[in-house]
Amino acid sequence: MNGNDRHNLVIRLNNCLETILEMEQELEKLDLNSRFVEELEVLKGFMSKMEKIRVSEAEVERIESATDNFLHELRVPLGQFESSRKMFSRLQ
């Protein structure tokens, strides 16, 4: 694998991690257990070491798939939270 291919894999992996971290505020609204919030902090630390990590195409594809599944699973709880918030705003 040449340097450009490796760099592209790191970018794709970084994109997955950033996507999850960008949702941190929304996830905190769901009042998830503290262990999950701690895992987000671990993820932030992991991102600082991205350039040193060696990953294969298959590993990145697996992480991309897991990220997609994670986002899919969050649609319902985040959608319910958003609906409740809108209804509360209308009641005020």
Side-chain angles (χ1 to χ4, degrees):
M1 176 180 303
N2 68 38
N4 193 37
D5 290 340
R6 185 180 171 290
H7 181 72
N8 288 335
L9 291 176
V10 170
I11 287 172
R12 288 170 51 198
L13 179 57
N14 194 47
N15 185 47
C16 291
L17 301 178
E18 284 179 356
T19 298
I20 293 169
L21 289 174
E22 285 174 2
M23 297 188 64
E24 183 175 11
Q25 288 180 337
E26 295 298 314
L27 294 172
E28 287 174 356
K29 292 175 188 175
L30 293 176
D31 197 27
L32 301 169
N33 69 32
S34 61
R35 182 75 179 129
F36 184 77
V37 175
E38 290 171 10
E39 292 297 326
L40 290 176
E41 292 302 318
V42 170
L43 191 57
K44 289 176 189 176
F46 180 75
M47 287 189 67
S48 67
K49 302 170 186 167
M50 289 292 291
E51 288 301 321
K52 298 175 186 174
I53 294 172
R54 297 212 181 270
V55 291
S56 69
E57 176 73 28
E59 290 169 320
V60 171
E61 287 176 2
R62 187 172 46 95
I63 292 167
E64 287 172 332
S65 177
T67 301
D68 185 52
N69 289 337
F70 178 67
L71 296 174
H72 181 74
E73 291 294 323
L74 288 174
R75 285 183 189 148
V76 171
L78 287 176
Q80 289 174 345
F81 176 78
E82 202 53 39
S83 295
S84 297
R85 196 175 84 179
K86 286 177 184 176
M87 183 170 32
F88 181 74
S89 295
R90 280 185 251 154
L91 293 174
Q92 288 181 340

